[in-house]
Amino acid sequence: MPTETEQLTAIVQDTTFRNEDNGYTVLHAVVGRTEHTVVGILPELSPGENVTFEGRWTEHPMYGRQFSASKCTITPPTGKSAIEKYLGSGLIRGIGPSTAKLIVNHFGESAMDVLDEHPERLTEIPGIGPKKAAMIMESYTEQMGMRRALVFLQNYGISPNLAMKVAKYYGENTVTLIRQNPYRMVTDIDGVGFLTADRIALSMGIDPMSEHRIRAALFYLLNEAAGNGGHTYLPHQVLRQRAAAMLRADEELVERQISQGMLEKMIVGFSMPGEEDAVCLPLYFHAENEIAMRLHYLMEARPYKRVTGLGDRIAAYEKEQGVRFSDMQKKAIRSAVEEGVLVITGGPGTGKTTIIRCILSLLKEDNDILLCAPTGRAAKRMSEATGEEAKTIHRLLEYGGDSETFARSQDYPLECDCLIVDEMSMVDVVLMRGLLRAILPGTRLILVGDADQLPSVGAGNVLHDILASDAVPNVRLCDIFRQDESSMIVLNAHRINHGEMPVLKKRDTDFFFEKKMLQSEAAKTICQLLQTRLPKYLRFPEDRWRSEAVRTIQVLTPTKKGDCGAVALNQLLQAALNPEKPGQDTITHGETTFRVGDKVIQTKNDYQLEYKRRTQFGWEDGTGIFNGDVGYVEHIDPAEHLLTVCFDDDRYVTYQKQQLDALELAYCLTVHKSQGSEFPVVVLPVVGGPPMLMVRNLLYTALTRARHLVVLVGREEVIRQMVENDHIAQRYTMLTERLISYQTLGQMG
């Protein structure tokens, strides 16, 4: 149980460490004659300041007892000595020890009041002219503004990390701006949701029916629809009704703010063919329209570099590699070479990788070719399958400071004649727009993916919408051509996809089913499978059973909650595969204790997070770790509260404690988080869950993540329910219609 929050009132002695980016501070403070170490995200404090810290006492393994502060209240220094020490600390530009002495000698104990209320009086002091006085006041105002902002925000329950982020964005005007309209944070600051801003606003007495509140709610609902539902828009009526219900407001009042939001271009209204009016955020409206436009231009341009004697060269490749392409596979190869854009889609074993290899063979002699995929794991797998370097899309585009900024664009395009993108089902509209901006007309674009897998985590349904439009040349591969077509993983995946029950009771295969009726029984069995049974079956070296199991076997689950949800299974599997050891360095964050050797996953895009990548030429620096990246804890420094993770593509990232919100254990992943990855062995509990998750394409996606072995643990009737439930949650997207529009315009032209 967490200890009670305590207060520590002390005088600051000195600061031993401060991270200017996030405000994390280590300082010494004294109470009477006793010195204490205080750590936390704090405003910049000066020696001599009287501060009341709020937080908890903790025991550091190296530095002993210290106070971990979550907030602080600063009492202005009193007495000439304290004021002089504070002013001369170097905190305020233009005031050193000698100037501080002059100020205190002149104004005495009123010096702080003069700085607050009559700063122009500084010019009374010989040696301080108008220019220097202005510099002092600018620095003093900035410091005071930041302090007031942090204290103000933390008093409303905003975390220190987020408070620092808000204060840096608004600067010295933070308190004034937020008092005027707390809801501005919803649109301005990533990480501040409507509920947080609403709590602050209502506690300030802001009118619940204010235009600011209603407009922030509209923005929040559209963002929420994009982030959690993948929608790029909402029907006008749906948005109006949801906002009215959430705010307990009249729909007419909401409608008025929808109209006003459109006038101010905060939101965009438009009509969908055959449907009622729709509303969306400008980002998604422009992204989908631009995707359609750029795909149209790429198709119209056709490739600059032609390939002659295509039929003979395909035949020569077949003979050389000992393969025989079907007519549909040959069509895919021809179209990839001849068309400006081609989509190749198909399930496991249908030959997508074989086709890519052939295309590379035909083109690489005279064409510069680039390969990419949405995640590090998918890119690595693409490299292994083709023998060519593949990058993540973000790395290829040389992304900048946020998700919408890439160095590569129409002004600095990719230097290639052909670009091949794998795992297209994972690509959302923002990423797709960024990619297309960097491709010159005349470049071949080949998009590869499985349309029957789960859609992207981000907004949009790019692969599905492109195929649904039929405006882009595409080839659907249906027949199984994988050499190991006896694989029950492949056969069962296709059976599930066609609405048929998988074969569960065939022995000596790569597909097993273990019957367990209860969630608790299934969870216990999964632990046993990873601890002993599968390592023994797979003939892992006995001294490496646990470590090999962690790296080779991936537990997937439909849901986060319950005994067989990701949260509970991660705790069980961590205890089984990486148990606590005496004297082991650990970091506890929230409910999770991280240990060296833990498998972890990044749960949000962080475009600023720095990494070092090991290459054959040494180390290279970069920034950006993304949602879905999986790695292993390499090192923990409990003294400095640091944790280092090595991600799959040899990126080493050091996390500070406050950054651990984005890191979770990954012994067990939800099926959604496993997209784009492939694992040697997959274990999947099938014991029930929310109906919206127990669907066919989720089961299909889970199976297609496995390379060599699948083990299902649970109930046959649950599997049957999932196979029969082919409901796919509708995403409100407009890309299909946009593509059809451009196709129609092209035909008219």
Side-chain angles (χ1 to χ4, degrees):
M1 291 292 290
T3 56
E4 293 291 327
T5 299
E6 298 181 55
Q7 287 189 341
L8 175 70
T9 299
I11 297 172
V12 176
Q13 287 292 98
D14 59 67
T15 298
T16 58
F17 172 81
R18 179 169 174 81
N19 184 322
E20 292 299 335
D21 289 333
N22 56 37
Y24 183 78
T25 303
V26 180
L27 59 82
H28 294 129
V30 294
V31 180
R33 295 185 178 181
T34 305
E35 184 175 288
H36 301 285
T37 300
V38 180
V39 301
I41 296 174
L42 301 166
E44 196 166 355
L45 300 170
S46 293
E49 289 195 277
N50 196 336
V51 185
T52 298
F53 301 100
E54 193 171 313
R56 296 184 178 91
W57 288 103
T58 60
E59 194 68 32
H60 194 281
M62 185 176 293
Y63 298 115
R65 194 167 186 249
Q66 57 187 29
F67 195 83
S68 181
S70 57
K71 64 172 70 173
C72 69
T73 304
I74 304 161
T75 303
T78 57
K80 289 183 179 181
S81 176
I83 294 171
E84 186 178 325
K85 189 175 183 180
Y86 166 72
L87 293 176
S89 66
L91 184 68
I92 303 167
R93 291 190 306 276
I95 302 181
S98 58
T99 304
K101 193 174 188 69
L102 289 172
I103 293 172
V104 172
N105 284 342
H106 189 81
F107 296 114
E109 293 187 9
S110 305
M112 299 304 296
D113 294 331
V114 170
L115 286 169
D116 279 324
E117 298 172 18
H118 303 288
E120 70 280 357
R121 290 189 61 195
L122 287 172
T123 56
E124 296 174 9
I125 301 171
I128 300 181
K131 191 174 179 180
K132 186 173 182 177
M135 179 178 67
I136 291 171
M137 279 319 303
E138 184 183 357
S139 177
Y140 181 77
T141 303
E142 185 181 302
Q143 290 295 334
M144 291 301 103
M146 182 67 76
R147 290 180 176 199
R148 291 188 188 106
L150 288 172
V151 172
F152 174 80
L153 292 166
Q154 291 181 30
N155 283 336
Y156 283 103
I158 293 181
S159 71
N161 203 25
L162 189 55
M164 179 64 69
K165 192 174 179 181
V166 174
K168 279 198 165 188
Y169 186 89
Y170 294 122
E172 63 190 61
N173 297 318
T174 300
V175 175
T176 302
L177 291 172
I178 291 176
R179 284 193 185 279
Q180 289 172 351
N181 175 19
Y183 297 105
R184 69 174 69 241
M185 291 188 291
V186 178
T187 53
D188 291 345
I189 313 290
D190 184 30
V192 179
F194 175 80
L195 297 179
T196 299
D198 201 42
R199 185 181 69 249
I200 296 171
L202 295 179
S203 67
M204 289 180 179
I206 289 178
D207 183 0
M209 295 300 111
S210 80
E211 64 179 44
H212 296 308
R213 185 172 189 245
I214 297 172
R215 217 159 316 157
L218 295 173
F219 183 88
Y220 165 79
L221 287 169
L222 289 171
N223 244 335
E224 185 76 4
N228 290 335
H231 307 295
T232 58
Y233 75 88
L234 286 176
H236 193 122
Q237 184 180 353
V238 170
L239 177 62
R240 183 175 64 243
Q241 289 173 345
R242 286 185 184 179
M246 185 175 82
L247 300 171
R248 299 180 181 177
D250 188 272
E251 284 192 28
E252 286 186 15
L253 196 61
V254 173
E255 181 62 41
R256 212 175 301 147
Q257 291 308 318
I258 291 175
S259 300
Q260 190 62 32
M262 290 178 187
L263 286 172
E264 295 178 12
K265 299 184 178 179
M266 184 192 87
I267 55 180
V268 179
F270 60 96
S271 296
M272 290 290 291
E275 297 181 23
E276 67 165 317
D277 291 345
V279 183
C280 70
L281 296 173
L283 170 65
Y284 301 117
F285 179 85
H286 297 303
E288 289 192 306
N289 193 58
E290 193 173 339
I291 290 168
M293 176 190 70
R294 292 185 179 276
L295 283 173
H296 175 74
Y297 289 155
L298 282 172
M299 288 185 289
E300 289 291 302
R302 301 281 177 166
Y304 289 130
K305 295 184 179 180
R306 304 285 175 169
V307 177
T308 57
L310 194 53
D312 291 340
R313 293 186 66 179
I314 293 172
Y317 182 88
E318 287 180 302
K319 186 176 180 180
E320 181 186 319
Q321 297 296 322
V323 298
R324 189 169 182 85
F325 294 122
S326 69
D327 289 343
M328 192 60 71
Q329 288 178 310
K330 287 179 182 177
K331 180 184 176 183
I333 295 166
R334 285 183 174 277
S335 299
V337 172
E338 294 171 351
E339 300 284 355
V341 183
L342 177 71
V343 180
I344 302 172
T345 183
T350 55
K352 297 191 299 295
T353 301
T354 306
I355 288 171
I356 291 173
R357 288 198 203 102
C358 181
I359 294 166
L360 287 169
S361 174
L362 294 170
L363 294 177
K364 67 182 180 182
E365 192 174 308
D366 301 312
N367 293 265
D368 293 321
I369 306 170
L370 294 175
L371 284 71
C372 65
T375 66
R377 281 204 161 194
K380 188 175 181 180
R381 190 156 53 86
M382 195 181 188
S383 294
E384 291 168 351
T386 62
E388 303 288 339
E389 183 188 15
K391 298 180 179 180
T392 64
I393 298 175
H394 286 90
R395 190 174 169 218
L396 185 73
L397 297 178
E398 302 172 25
Y399 57 87
D402 58 61
S403 59
E404 299 171 55
T405 306
F406 300 97
R408 294 286 183 174
S409 65
Q410 57 265 45
D411 299 323
Y412 178 39
L414 294 169
E415 296 168 6
C416 65
D417 303 301
C418 175
L419 177 65
I420 304 176
V421 188
D422 200 9
E423 293 288 354
M424 268 300 300
S425 62
M426 298 182 67
V427 178
D428 61 38
V429 292
V430 175
L431 188 56
M432 187 64 178
R433 178 181 67 170
L435 185 64
L436 290 173
R437 281 179 172 179
I439 303 172
L440 288 172
T443 304
R444 291 180 180 85
L445 176 62
I446 303 167
L447 307 174
V448 185
D450 187 346
D452 295 314
Q453 288 188 24
L454 294 168
S456 60
V457 175
N461 204 353
V462 175
L463 179 60
H464 173 275
D465 287 355
I466 290 174
L467 291 169
S469 74
D470 209 27
V472 179
N474 62 85
V475 178
R476 297 174 186 256
L477 305 173
C478 300
D479 298 322
I480 301 172
F481 292 98
R482 188 182 282 179
Q483 288 182 348
D484 59 338
E485 60 182 20
S486 62
S487 165
M488 291 306 298
I489 298 174
V490 175
L491 292 172
N492 278 337
H494 284 272
R495 286 179 67 90
I496 289 167
N497 204 28
H498 293 139
E500 301 171 17
M501 275 291 287
V503 178
L504 300 176
K505 298 176 182 177
K506 191 172 181 179
R507 294 181 175 275
D508 301 320
T509 71
D510 55 4
F511 192 100
F512 294 93
F513 170 66
E514 183 141 348
K515 184 176 179 179
K516 296 293 172 186
M517 299 303 291
L518 301 176
Q519 286 207 19
S520 56
E521 291 178 341
K524 186 178 177 181
T525 298
I526 288 169
C527 277
Q528 293 169 349
L529 283 166
L530 270 78
Q531 271 186 299
T532 55
R533 292 169 58 186
L534 283 175
K536 188 175 181 180
Y537 176 78
L538 296 167
R539 299 182 180 178
F540 294 161
E542 283 194 41
D543 60 337
R544 298 204 306 271
W545 272 14
R546 286 175 175 171
S547 61
E548 288 293 322
V550 171
R551 293 190 177 262
T552 305
I553 307 167
Q554 183 61 59
V555 179
L556 302 179
T557 183
T559 181
K560 282 189 170 184
K561 299 178 180 179
D563 288 350
C564 283
V567 175
L569 281 176
N570 267 316
Q571 291 175 347
L572 283 174
L573 292 167
Q574 183 193 42
L577 302 174
N578 191 23
E580 187 176 359
K581 302 177 187 70
Q584 184 182 34
D585 289 336
T586 64
I587 286 182
T588 299
H589 189 75
E591 301 295 318
T592 304
T593 296
F594 295 100
R595 303 165 189 156
V596 172
D598 276 338
K599 182 191 279 189
V600 292
I601 184 170
Q602 177 79 10
T603 61
K604 62 178 73 171
N605 291 338
D606 189 333
Y607 298 88
Q608 308 295 335
L609 198 54
E610 297 178 353
Y611 66 76
K612 290 185 177 293
R613 186 196 302 272
R614 184 187 289 154
T615 72
Q616 58 181 330
F617 306 109
W619 293 91
E620 67 175 28
D621 297 331
T623 57
I625 302 296
F626 304 102
N627 184 12
D629 286 349
V630 173
Y632 301 88
V633 178
E634 288 278 317
H635 180 70
I636 290 174
D637 184 344
E640 300 295 333
H641 302 284
L642 302 176
L643 179 150
T644 300
V645 177
C646 175
F647 288 96
D648 284 338
D649 49 354
D650 291 328
R651 289 172 300 166
Y652 287 79
V653 178
T654 297
Y655 291 79
Q656 295 180 13
K657 186 168 177 131
Q658 66 273 12
Q659 296 172 313
L660 295 177
D661 284 337
L663 214 58
E664 292 179 0
L665 295 175
Y667 298 97
C668 176
L669 299 175
T670 62
V671 177
H672 284 83
K673 285 184 179 176
S674 73
Q675 287 177 269
S677 299
E678 195 174 73
F679 313 97
V681 181
V682 165
V683 177
L684 179 75
V686 279
V687 285
M692 61 182 291
L693 293 174
M694 307 308 287
V695 293
R696 183 189 298 171
N697 67 340
L698 186 141
L699 181 59
Y700 172 81
T701 300
L703 264 61
T704 58
R705 301 304 88 207
R707 250 193 333 262
H708 304 307
L709 181 66
V710 166
V711 183
L712 301 185
V713 182
R715 307 197 323 256
E716 192 169 339
E717 60 265 35
V718 173
I719 298 172
R720 188 178 304 280
Q721 288 168 8
M722 294 181 76
V723 171
E724 292 175 353
N725 186 1
D726 64 347
H727 173 73
I728 298 174
Q730 181 192 359
R731 287 194 171 189
Y732 295 116
T733 61
M734 49 194 141
L735 180 56
T736 296
E737 286 73 19
R738 297 288 183 264
L739 285 163
I740 293 170
S741 295
Y742 274 99
Q743 184 187 43
T744 304
L745 287 170
Q747 291 168 348
M748 290 172 62

